[in-house]
Amino acid sequence: MSRTHQEHEEHRDLGDREKAVLDKIRRGLVYTETEASFQAPQRRPDLVFAYNHTPPDQPERRRELLVAALGSVGERTVLLPPFHAGFGSNVHIGDDFFGNVNLTFVDDVDIRIGDGVMIAPSVTLTTTGHPVHPSRRADFGRFSEPIVIEDKVWIGSNVVVLPGVRIGYGSVIGAGSVVSRDIPPMVVAVGVPCRVVRAITDEDLTTRTAAED
């Protein structure tokens, strides 16, 4: 076998191995750091660092860096620095988003955030977990499942959203909650683990108002 042909075969095998690992990740199976090492070029730590150190009087530069750092960014987006992201490229944010300080994206796979979402300080959205048995955590063994946050959701301070969770339209997640399962639309949910405590109704239109009509 010629050297050129051998190199071609090696590149083809590498492509096949990458596809196999990506399929494993998509299925929520355990994969290792070594297996996923080919994804390293998708990480954008320099852009995240630059964003976090850009002065507040340079909003256009911040916007430019955010668009470059994340997978997609909508219009009228506010994300207060610092924020943190494992990749950045797997984060997708809709229009009219507000994210307060110390928002952490563990985005080994997609995190998709809809329009009009508000996130309070020190929230973690993590798509990745690790097996319980220590022998399966060798070489940083892990599994990843995407997170979806639908339109108009409000997430309180110090919330952790775990892999595979979908939070439905308009729902409110109380401060300090750990969200380990899907939350339906238009509810208030709180706790560890996070549970629905009530529906959001028209009566909520009259609460916390400055004056009566």
Side-chain angles (χ1 to χ4, degrees):
M1 182 184 295
S2 70
R3 182 180 179 84
T4 301
H5 182 68
Q6 183 178 359
E7 290 175 347
H8 174 74
E9 289 297 311
E10 289 174 352
H11 285 307
R12 189 183 71 177
D13 290 343
L14 180 61
D16 290 341
R17 288 197 299 270
E18 291 176 356
K19 290 177 184 177
V21 174
L22 289 173
D23 181 64
K24 185 185 289 190
I25 294 171
R26 290 189 193 100
R27 293 165 60 196
L29 302 178
V30 174
Y31 63 99
T32 68
E33 178 70 16
T34 298
E35 288 178 318
S37 61
F38 68 90
Q39 294 184 308
Q42 299 175 35
R43 296 182 184 271
R44 298 171 180 173
D46 292 346
L47 292 168
V48 173
F49 180 88
Y51 181 89
N52 288 335
H53 291 81
T54 299
D57 63 352
Q58 297 181 23
E60 292 181 1
R61 176 59 177 162
R62 275 190 179 173
R63 170 73 184 182
E64 176 185 308
L65 287 166
L66 192 64
V67 168
L70 303 188
S72 60
V73 181
E75 299 298 324
R76 299 171 300 279
T77 293
V78 176
L79 179 55
L80 300 183
F83 83 96
H84 312 277
F87 281 81
S89 57
N90 291 324
V91 176
H92 302 272
I93 293 175
D95 297 336
D96 301 304
F97 170 83
F98 180 85
N100 217 312
V101 296
N102 292 320
L103 176 54
T104 297
F105 301 105
V106 183
D107 61 320
D108 294 275
V109 296
D110 280 355
I111 296 174
R112 295 194 172 271
I113 299 173
D115 298 336
V117 171
M118 299 173 62
I119 298 182
S122 300
V123 167
T124 298
L125 309 176
T126 178
T127 65
T128 293
H130 301 276
V132 172
H133 199 287
S135 66
R136 302 203 70 197
R137 297 198 296 273
D139 193 13
F140 304 105
R142 58 189 182 265
F143 59 88
S144 300
E145 298 178 357
I147 288 172
V148 177
I149 299 173
E150 297 183 3
D151 297 349
K152 307 292 186 181
V153 166
W154 171 27
I155 299 177
S157 299
N158 297 297
V159 167
V160 178
V161 179
L162 296 178
V165 165
R166 174 184 288 266
I167 300 176
Y169 173 93
S171 285
V172 176
I173 308 298
S177 298
V178 177
V179 189
S180 58
R181 65 187 69 181
D182 289 355
I183 302 297
M186 293 296 287
V187 298
V188 176
V190 64
V192 181
C194 189
R195 292 186 173 90
V196 174
V197 294
R198 68 176 181 88
I200 296 172
T201 70
D202 287 349
E203 291 183 7
D204 292 299
L205 292 170
T206 63
T207 62
R208 297 283 183 170
T209 53
E212 296 296 329
D213 292 336

